[in-house]
Amino acid sequence: MPWGILEDNHMDFVPGTIILADQSDVPEEYQNIERDLLKHGTGKNSHIILSPQPTDSPNDPLNWPTWRKDVILVIVGLSAGVVGAYGPMLSPGFVEISAALGITVNTLSQATAWVILMIGLSLFVLNPLAKKVGRRPVYVLSSVIMLTGSIWGALSKDYSTFLGSRIWSGLGMAPFEVLVQCTIADIYYVHERATRIAVWNMFLLCGISGGALIAGYIIQDQGWQWTLIWCAIIFGALLPLVVLFVPETAYRRQSYERQLAARRAARDMKSETSEKKEATSEQEENANVETVETGVVTERKETFLQSLRLWNGIYTDTPLWRIFLRPMVVFFYPAVLWGFLLYGITLSWIVTFSVVNAVIFTAPPYNFSVSETGLISLSPFILTLVGEIISGPMNDWICMYLAKKNRGIYEPEFRLPPIFISCLVGVAGFFGFGATVHFQTHWSGPVLCFGLANMSLALSNASVFGYIIDSHKELSEEAFVAINARNLLTFGLTYFVNDWLAKDGVLKVFNVLGGVFVAVNFLTIPLWIFGKRFRSFIARNKTLHKFMNED
């Protein structure tokens, strides 16, 4: 194997490794099925073999019209965007809010830490629950929690009440960290997902970066309570939209081989039935079911009122305790652990900016107002957007180039080289921020470095999530839950960072953060070398395979 990747000696085909020269347009899971039996897209996508293959049921979310799917995406995407803004939006007014509540800035930053901790803990409960009982009840519950939490926070008169509202809201924020990705996988075919994931990322990006930008003016002109009042107004508008137009998207779909067998059996039965019995049968069945051209009997299409049900049964026979434990097990897969450290530490360090910016920029020599402190978020917003636009195409180009040089054989490890670029950008961001603030340069210096730190995360995301999906595609949902345990790491840092900043100074703090960032990025090297052997070891472990896959 070229370029230092160690070959595996135990398996001829290691999961994740793909021989591109042998690839057709038939998805891997349908290679053993006759091409003519597979369903294709329509219109300009009529040449595409659909993956996953839909059933013949009108209630299969894959069969819903595109406009209905996109309405669902817009509603949950908007909710995710407001949730993204909810955490950091108060950061421009930390000094003013802490004075109003009669507490220190560090105590107020600890409230943010508790929100993050609650998100991290509830992820391990609500997302597995959504896998068992469906997405809809979790979405509705989360929306109700966010609405009531916003009202509670706006009415707070003291810190204990304010803290209670933030912790309660953290419980409702958790599903939007992962569940939207699951919903996209529920309702869209593989060839449709990349664009929809990009749309969801844009909602989230606008929320995280734009929330503080807008909140700075709201806090300055209307008071900090109005940031939460506006959130309550938005969630109050979104809640009925979720109830009315976000139906259950989880669906128990048989394997396509079983669907084909059912079609054959239905055709055989139909041919053996007399015309009289057939006519009678059709009259009876039309009262309860619909039929399709293949002759397969399917359930009647749900009415709008039926789609409003909160409870639709269970969606997996796997015991709940196993579903809860899977993210904890997959956490220790080398690819996932690496993703947790790289993504988690980078994002945690970036959250630190939102906690300390108000302290740094409202004091001399910058003396920013609350609204001007909010405007700092323009830098990460723009540079993150640039990073998102660059990272995907760059990552795909590098992968295809290396696969071509490797005789048409693609390895998931080919996703890793762009980490070198994101590391350099992050070094400039973290070390540069500490140095420019310490030496009191023009405000454009630290603001630019703030943006570069965020850009490094955008650049690395394509590598982190692309590598994990390519290595453990069937466990990607559990892997994303495990990676988002980074909230526990973020909690620890944000809880004491302002005290640390006051004690040691911004230069030392960000030099330490930058050093840890570099060390974690260097873990990519052993993953590059041993990654294929790690994948082989996991694939050969029968006990692990049985535990991690559906019954």
Side-chain angles (χ1 to χ4, degrees):
M1 180 66 63
W3 312 303
I5 298 177
L6 295 180
E7 189 60 78
D8 177 68
N9 299 319
H10 299 279
M11 300 181 73
D12 293 329
F13 299 100
V14 179
T17 300
I18 300 173
I19 304 174
L20 295 178
D22 291 342
Q23 288 296 289
S24 67
D25 59 346
V26 180
E28 181 181 354
E29 59 268 34
Y30 305 125
Q31 291 286 344
N32 297 324
I33 300 175
E34 293 180 33
R35 183 188 181 92
D36 293 341
L37 297 176
L38 295 172
K39 296 181 180 180
H40 290 64
T42 58
K44 65 179 182 179
N45 295 319
S46 59
H47 63 288
I48 296 176
I49 296 175
L50 298 178
S51 178
Q53 286 280 296
T55 65
D56 295 312
S57 170
N59 299 319
D60 187 339
L62 292 172
N63 290 327
W64 292 346
T66 302
W67 67 263
R68 187 183 186 190
K69 300 178 183 180
D70 289 343
V71 166
I72 294 170
L73 176 62
V74 169
I75 294 172
V76 297
L78 281 171
S79 300
V82 182
V83 164
Y86 196 87
M89 68 180 180
L90 296 178
S91 58
F94 263 20
V95 175
E96 181 178 319
I97 297 170
S98 60
L101 295 176
I103 56 175
T104 65
V105 172
N106 187 61
T107 302
L108 183 60
S109 68
Q110 289 173 2
T112 301
W114 284 109
V115 172
I116 294 168
L117 177 63
M118 180 56 69
I119 294 172
L121 293 176
S122 54
L123 267 176
F124 285 91
V125 177
L126 292 180
N127 279 82
L129 197 62
K131 196 178 185 76
K132 186 76 172 180
V133 303
R135 327 296 192 199
R136 178 171 167 80
V138 177
Y139 274 134
V140 173
L141 175 64
S142 297
S143 299
V144 170
I145 291 175
M146 292 308 301
L147 173 60
T148 55
S150 299
I151 296 172
W152 181 356
L155 297 176
S156 299
K157 301 297 182 183
D158 55 64
Y159 177 67
S160 59
T161 307
F162 173 80
L163 178 61
S165 74
R166 299 293 280 178
I167 293 175
W168 173 248
S169 298
L171 178 65
M173 295 167 70
F176 294 99
E177 292 259 348
V178 176
L179 201 55
V180 177
Q181 301 173 60
C182 303
T183 299
I184 291 173
D186 287 341
I187 62 180
Y188 292 105
Y189 299 107
V190 170
H191 70 277
E192 300 174 321
R193 291 176 188 170
T195 303
R196 271 66 181 198
I197 290 174
V199 170
W200 169 66
N201 280 331
M202 285 301 301
F203 278 119
L204 205 56
L205 167 67
C206 291
I208 294 172
S209 299
L213 178 67
I214 298 170
Y217 286 97
I218 295 175
I219 293 170
Q220 181 172 291
D221 297 336
Q222 296 181 296
W224 66 268
Q225 291 93 341
W226 270 95
T227 58
L228 295 166
I229 292 173
W230 280 113
C231 282
I233 292 171
I234 295 172
F235 282 118
L238 287 172
L239 177 58
L241 295 180
V242 171
V243 172
L244 294 174
F245 302 114
V246 181
E248 183 55 66
T249 61
Y251 188 77
R252 298 195 73 162
R253 190 177 295 109
Q254 285 186 331
S255 69
Y256 201 61
E257 288 86 350
R258 290 187 179 181
Q259 293 181 48
L260 291 175
R263 290 180 191 174
R264 295 190 189 99
R267 282 196 296 266
D268 292 342
M269 184 177 295
K270 187 174 181 179
S271 65
E272 295 173 0
T273 306
S274 66
E275 293 182 2
K276 183 177 178 180
K277 290 182 178 179
E278 182 179 351
T280 304
S281 176
E282 287 180 358
Q283 290 173 0
E284 293 174 353
E285 289 176 351
N286 282 339
N288 301 301
V289 301
E290 289 188 356
T291 60
V292 294
E293 292 181 0
T294 58
V296 178
V297 180
T298 64
E299 63 263 84
R300 173 183 287 274
K301 182 178 180 180
E302 282 190 345
T303 65
F304 176 73
L305 288 178
Q306 288 174 323
S307 72
L308 298 181
R309 291 176 304 200
L310 286 179
W311 172 258
N312 291 278
I314 61 173
Y315 292 90
T316 175
D317 295 325
T318 303
L320 196 57
W321 66 270
R322 272 175 59 183
I323 300 175
F324 283 134
L325 287 179
R326 280 175 180 168
M328 302 178 194
V329 174
V330 82
F331 177 85
F332 294 100
Y333 284 25
V336 178
L337 183 58
W338 166 81
F340 163 79
L341 291 172
L342 186 58
Y343 171 77
I345 283 179
T346 305
L347 187 54
S348 296
W349 284 194
I350 287 172
V351 171
T352 303
F353 285 101
S354 66
V355 175
V356 303
N357 275 348
V359 176
I360 292 172
F361 286 100
T362 57
Y366 302 111
N367 297 314
F368 281 10
S369 66
V370 174
S371 60
E372 289 171 336
T373 304
L375 282 173
I376 294 171
S377 299
L378 268 177
S379 174
F381 179 83
I382 294 171
L383 290 178
T384 300
L385 182 60
V386 172
E388 291 283 358
I389 293 172
I390 293 173
S391 61
M394 177 182 68
N395 199 282
D396 289 340
W397 182 86
I398 291 175
C399 286
M400 292 302 101
Y401 175 80
L402 293 177
K404 183 178 179 181
K405 293 294 183 181
N406 193 35
R407 305 183 307 280
I409 300 175
Y410 167 77
E411 302 287 356
E413 285 71 31
F414 293 166
R415 294 276 182 194
L416 303 180
I419 292 295
F420 175 74
I421 299 173
S422 63
C423 180
L424 291 179
V425 174
V427 165
F430 291 112
F431 286 105
F433 185 85
T436 52
V437 172
H438 177 77
F439 294 106
Q440 299 185 352
T441 67
H442 187 267
W443 61 263
S444 59
V447 170
L448 175 62
C449 292
F450 178 30
L452 289 173
N454 280 265
M455 186 180 186
S456 71
L457 180 65
L459 290 171
S460 65
N461 278 352
S463 293
V464 171
F465 294 109
Y467 181 67
I468 291 171
I469 290 172
D470 288 351
S471 299
H472 307 293
K473 180 174 67 173
E474 72 285 356
L475 295 174
S476 57
E477 184 176 333
E478 288 82 358
F480 292 148
V481 173
I483 287 175
N484 277 284
R486 61 90 192 163
N487 287 289
L488 306 181
L489 182 65
T490 310
F491 163 77
L493 180 63
T494 53
Y495 195 84
F496 68 84
V497 67
N498 273 307
D499 279 345
W500 183 21
L501 192 72
K503 178 183 177 183
D504 292 339
V506 67
L507 181 64
K508 185 172 182 178
V509 168
F510 278 88
N511 280 348
V512 171
L513 298 184
V516 175
F517 171 79
V518 171
V520 168
N521 274 267
F522 271 92
L523 292 176
T524 306
I525 296 174
L527 192 65
W528 170 269
I529 297 171
F530 298 103
K532 188 168 185 177
R533 292 189 175 181
F534 290 148
R535 289 185 281 121
S536 172
F537 174 79
I538 292 170
R540 288 182 283 111
N541 190 314
K542 294 181 180 179
T543 302
L544 195 60
H545 183 271
K546 182 179 179 180
F547 182 83
M548 297 302 293
N549 287 276
E550 294 298 306
D551 290 336

